[in-house]
Amino acid sequence: MAVTPFSRSGPFPTGVAADVGYRGGGETMTVRTFTLPEPLPQPNPARRLGSSTPLRLLAIAVGLIAAILLAGTVTAFTVGERRQVLSDLLARAEPLSDSVQELYSELSVADAAASTGFIYGGVEPVEVRERYTTALSEASAAAALASNGMEDDAGRESLLLISRQLPVYAGLIETARANNRLGNPVGSAYLAEASALMQNTLLPAANSLYEATTERVGNEQRMHSGRPWPAIIAVLFAVVVCLAAVPYLARLTGRKINLGVAIAGGTMGVALCWLLVAGLMSSIAATRAVERGIDPLDALTDSRILAQTARSNETLGMVRRSPEEDVQFGPLIDQLREHLDGIDRSVVPNEQLDQVTAVIDEWVESHERITEALLHGDFSAASGIAVDPGIGGSAALFDRLDGELVALIEDSRTNLRDNVDQATRILRGITQGVVLLSAIAVLAVAFGMRNRLREYQ
């Protein structure tokens, strides 16, 4: 039997089918064969899991919470550190600077009072003697207070120098007083030696201390007078992330809005506004502390020292009965005027500065009368003007000037402390407020994302 093959092919649901037939002897035999296609590649389980909606929601929740926690942590650290620095400034740095300023001023007061006492001849008045002894004891007390807070080696060396030389100065003054009572001319020599020790050793050491402590206070204050930018940037980033997540979640879940994430974004937005406004207020208070406290305080303290030094030169010239001995009076007064002219009159009231300037003018006129009397050999008239407690006397005018400067110094220190304290209180509120709002935002994100994740359980 002859067999004739034939074939018929066609589509098959699962592959390619083919009919192969054989004919022979009136009979036909058909065999159907088909070929299966290559199996499709199976997706990676990890990749399929990574593209799943629940895992995306979980990743978004973790990212949002991390951004919010970062904002709260950066704010707490940045603002907290700034508040701690300002608190330390009020508790340690500023009182140390005030102690050094007191030391600087009282040393100069003691020198001026000691020289004034010699003009009377013999025994000086009780009030003049008490002024000297009080200034000397207060200078010693200020040195002791400053030593407790002094941390740098240079400052300790300056304090040690003052502690060693101050008794030497007091001994020279007592020797000069004893000789002056006995009418020995050598008393004026001892007084000049004591004054030279004060002007060339003690006051420069106190001045270096004062400049160092004042510079430290000023630098710390200026360094922390700006806005807390790291905290602002961190909170702004959290706000942007939360707001950007809202429309993305809407597309991912098919919901209009995720209420929890939206609340978190609004909460961090409130935190950002709070941080901006309170940071600005704190910055303004810190800047005022520099402009109305540190800067005028520095100028006024130097002015008082210059006035005390000028008075010491004036009285020393009287003791030696020679106007040539107080050749530094004029230059010292010029420096005093320059310091006062450099003070911002929008910070210190014009009336007070004008009053100080008027007293200086009267003092200069009184000094000119003293110089004229000495040139004519009239020591009695000169000494009368120098120690006259009346309105036109040099002593009375100097006391008025010193009182005005002391009042301005106290006002400047009060402005410094009040503004620093205000800045500190504002910063404390920022830390507490932003941390609280960050916690609320974290809970809102957790609540909002929890509801979406439960839909896939």
Side-chain angles (χ1 to χ4, degrees):
M1 178 181 63
V3 179
T4 303
F6 70 92
S7 64
R8 183 177 74 245
S9 63
F12 191 75
T14 60
V16 179
D19 291 336
V20 179
Y22 297 91
R23 293 189 182 93
E27 294 181 1
T28 300
M29 182 177 62
T30 303
V31 180
R32 169 165 287 187
T33 63
F34 62 91
T35 303
L36 292 175
E38 293 293 331
L40 296 175
Q42 295 297 320
N44 188 339
R47 183 177 180 183
R48 182 172 57 187
L49 181 63
S51 61
S52 66
T53 300
L55 193 60
R56 288 183 182 180
L57 292 175
L58 183 61
I60 292 172
V62 171
L64 291 175
I65 292 175
I68 295 170
L69 291 177
L70 176 65
T73 302
V74 171
T75 300
F77 177 77
T78 303
V79 178
E81 181 187 23
R82 177 173 299 196
R83 181 170 59 85
Q84 185 62 43
V85 169
L86 294 179
S87 297
D88 289 343
L89 188 147
L90 279 180
R92 298 179 59 187
E94 194 279 333
L96 174 62
S97 178
D98 183 65
S99 296
V100 174
Q101 181 265 333
E102 187 74 11
L103 169 64
Y104 190 20
S105 299
E106 293 303 328
L107 287 175
S108 185
V109 170
D111 192 47
S115 300
T116 302
F118 275 74
I119 301 177
Y120 291 93
V123 181
E124 69 270 28
V126 176
E127 60 272 13
V128 177
R129 179 64 180 172
E130 287 182 350
R131 180 183 298 176
Y132 166 76
T133 55
T134 301
L136 209 61
S137 62
E138 290 184 356
S140 300
L145 287 175
S147 63
N148 293 330
M150 192 63 61
E151 298 177 354
D152 60 292
D153 294 336
R156 290 183 179 275
E157 290 178 2
S158 297
L159 283 174
L160 183 60
L161 175 63
I162 293 173
S163 299
R164 287 176 176 175
Q165 295 299 321
L166 192 56
V168 177
Y169 170 82
L172 290 171
I173 291 296
E174 292 307 316
T175 303
R177 289 182 66 245
N179 282 277
N180 189 46
R181 285 182 178 182
L182 297 174
N184 295 330
V186 73
S188 61
Y190 279 107
L191 176 63
E193 184 178 355
S195 184
L197 177 62
M198 177 65 73
Q199 300 296 330
N200 299 329
T201 302
L202 292 172
L203 285 180
N207 180 56
S208 64
L209 274 175
Y210 176 72
E211 288 181 350
T213 55
T214 303
E215 183 180 3
R216 176 188 171 188
V217 172
N219 289 341
E220 289 183 355
Q221 188 64 29
R222 291 183 180 90
M223 187 183 303
H224 296 87
S225 61
R227 295 187 183 184
W229 289 112
I232 292 174
I233 293 174
V235 175
L236 177 61
F237 174 74
V239 172
V240 171
V241 169
C242 289
L243 295 181
V246 172
Y248 179 78
L249 288 172
R251 293 194 302 269
L252 184 64
T253 61
R255 301 297 182 92
K256 291 184 178 180
I257 189 172
N258 187 301
L259 184 60
V261 177
I263 292 175
T267 303
M268 295 309 294
V270 173
L272 178 62
C273 294
W274 189 347
L275 191 58
L276 288 172
V277 174
L280 177 61
M281 294 173 61
S282 174
S283 176
I284 292 174
T287 302
R288 280 203 306 261
V290 174
E291 295 177 348
R292 300 185 180 183
I294 295 176
D295 291 343
L297 181 62
D298 189 19
L300 290 167
T301 300
D302 288 341
S303 298
R304 189 185 181 203
I305 301 303
L306 288 169
Q308 296 282 357
T309 306
R311 175 61 176 171
S312 181
N313 275 266
E314 181 181 58
T315 53
L316 188 59
M318 286 292 306
V319 171
R320 293 196 170 184
R321 304 192 180 190
S322 174
E324 287 79 12
E325 293 293 336
D326 65 344
V327 292
Q328 293 298 319
F329 182 86
L332 288 170
I333 293 297
D334 291 339
Q335 294 180 46
L336 172 58
R337 294 184 189 276
E338 289 177 4
H339 277 76
L340 294 174
D341 290 341
I343 297 176
D344 188 356
R345 290 189 172 252
S346 64
V347 174
V348 179
N350 288 331
E351 297 79 10
Q352 291 178 283
L353 287 177
D354 291 340
Q355 189 172 359
V356 170
T357 303
V359 175
I360 293 175
D361 293 338
E362 293 181 38
W363 184 22
V364 170
E365 293 177 2
S366 176
H367 179 76
E368 290 175 351
R369 288 189 285 121
I370 293 174
T371 302
E372 184 178 357
L374 287 176
L375 289 174
H376 288 83
D378 192 351
F379 178 76
S380 298
S383 61
I385 299 172
V387 299
D388 185 7
I391 297 177
S394 184
L397 291 171
F398 169 74
D399 289 341
R400 281 179 55 196
L401 175 61
D402 190 61
E404 294 287 345
L405 291 174
V406 168
L408 289 174
I409 288 173
E410 289 299 323
D411 289 344
S412 298
R413 190 189 179 208
T414 300
N415 285 332
L416 169 61
R417 294 188 64 84
D418 288 348
N419 282 288
V420 172
D421 182 64
Q422 181 182 359
T424 304
R425 286 187 282 106
I426 293 173
L427 291 175
R428 185 183 298 114
I430 292 176
T431 303
Q432 296 172 350
V434 173
V435 170
L436 177 62
L437 291 173
S438 298
I440 294 174
V442 168
L443 294 177
V445 170
F447 176 78
M449 300 303 290
R450 175 176 173 271
N451 291 336
R452 299 288 78 80
L453 288 170
R454 290 180 63 181
E455 296 175 355
Y456 293 89
Q457 291 181 352

